[in-house]
Amino acid sequence: MHPSRWLSALGLLLAFIAVPAVAAGDDVAAIRRVMAGQQAAWNRGDVEAFMRGYRDAPDTTFVGRTVRKGYRAILESYRKHYANKAQMGRLAFSGVDVRLLPCAEGEVRYAIVTGRFHLDRAEHGAVAQDDGVYSLLWEKTAQGWKIILDHSS
């Protein structure tokens, strides 16, 4: 094979290998952007904007002290327990690890995200700090990446 053809073939092969890596990087970055938006929404006291990171569906699930099923039930619980900006406080995520889950065809439709959260807030007039861990199951939807299962403790 002529060296120029060999180099062209090698370049084509590398392009095919690089495409999934770029796509994976885009998916990871997209999930991280959603989480950054959720953190910003929380810190300005906007529960509705925070919830935009969740899929609006009856089977979306939050597991904490109890199990809440359904977007509306999760939203109402947040509204009840975090009724104002002082109760919401200041949220920070750390140790965020995004793991994409490719299906048999190589397409990525789901991801698992694990990490830690820290929350400084006022609770019934007293200062409180909450620290914990979370695992989130994300689904890639027509509206972007959305949380379908949140286990926070």
Side-chain angles (χ1 to χ4, degrees):
M1 179 183 274
H2 191 273
S4 64
R5 285 189 182 189
W6 184 83
L7 287 175
S8 294
L10 179 61
L12 189 59
L13 176 64
L14 290 175
F16 280 116
I17 293 170
V19 168
V22 170
D26 290 348
D27 286 326
V28 170
I31 290 169
R32 288 180 179 276
R33 278 192 302 274
V34 173
M35 291 187 71
Q38 284 186 298
Q39 181 175 306
W42 187 273
N43 291 339
R44 68 176 179 272
D46 190 344
V47 171
E48 284 75 16
F50 173 81
M51 284 294 296
R52 287 187 199 124
Y54 291 80
R55 187 179 66 188
D56 187 348
D59 59 345
T60 297
T61 305
F62 181 92
V63 180
R65 291 185 184 155
T66 63
V67 176
R68 288 178 216 85
K69 200 161 195 131
Y71 180 90
R72 300 284 174 229
I74 296 167
L75 175 59
E76 288 310 312
S77 178
Y78 274 125
R79 284 180 178 153
K80 178 181 174 187
H81 292 97
Y82 302 98
N84 57 53
K85 191 173 185 327
Q87 287 179 343
M88 290 178 75
R90 193 118 189 104
L91 173 66
F93 295 125
S94 63
V96 177
D97 181 50
V98 180
R99 190 169 87 209
L100 302 176
L101 305 173
C103 62
E105 300 82 32
E107 175 190 6
V108 173
R109 189 165 165 219
Y110 297 97
I112 295 174
V113 177
T114 56
R116 300 191 61 75
F117 69 86
H118 176 79
L119 188 60
D120 286 314
R121 62 192 179 100
E123 184 176 16
H124 308 295
V127 175
Q129 287 188 350
D130 293 320
D131 290 293
V133 295
Y134 58 84
S135 59
L136 308 170
L137 178 59
W138 292 72
E139 181 178 19
K140 191 175 193 177
T141 72
Q143 296 77 38
W145 283 96
K146 299 290 182 179
I147 298 166
I148 60 174
L149 174 66
D150 177 342
H151 184 185
S152 296
S153 56

